[in-house]
Amino acid sequence: NSSVLTNPEPLHDCIRKLFGHFFLFGASGLLTVATLSTIEDAYIFHKKDIIIVASCSGLFLALLSELIQYFVPGRVFAFTDVLIDLAGFISFGAILFAVVYFSNKKKIHKN
């Protein structure tokens, strides 16, 4: 019978993965989509390009961060961490993309 009080390791791992991977990469996703949306306003990108460029950026950052860990003693490359990173990046980026998209659509509809 293992509880969090006698074995805090699973809780520690969950919190570390949630905050160190999912939310940190979520913040990166927000910033990436915000930047690309600003560029889209200048008519350099189209909406579908924002989704593609942001997703590729998230995948690149996730793979790069894990690849760097591979070369650090005591750390390993974990594909599950890449997936968690990418999930955070895409989730937060998609939320912001939807907010920007629907607010722009509402502005266009008003005019």
Side-chain angles (χ1 to χ4, degrees), residues 40-110:
E40 191 264 341
D41 286 343
Y43 303 105
I44 295 170
F45 281 116
H46 297 290
K47 287 175 184 30
K48 67 177 180 178
D49 296 333
I50 292 174
I51 295 167
I52 293 167
V53 171
S55 298
C56 290
S57 298
L59 180 60
F60 175 76
L61 286 173
L63 287 170
L64 181 64
S65 71
E66 287 301 311
L67 186 63
I68 290 169
Q69 289 183 47
Y70 177 78
F71 296 103
V72 175
R75 303 295 300 265
V76 296
F77 179 96
F79 189 69
T80 55
D81 287 351
V82 171
L83 294 176
I84 294 169
D85 296 345
L86 192 56
F89 192 97
I90 290 174
S91 296
F92 282 67
I95 290 168
L96 181 61
F97 181 81
V99 168
V100 169
Y101 176 78
F102 288 115
S103 68
N104 286 343
K105 193 172 183 177
K106 189 175 182 180
K107 285 180 196 175
I108 291 169
H109 185 67
K110 273 186 172 181

Side-chain angles (χ1 to χ4, degrees), residues 1-12:
N1 188 6
S2 178
S3 74
V4 173
L5 295 176
T6 59
N7 185 11
E9 193 65 29
L11 180 61
H12 175 265

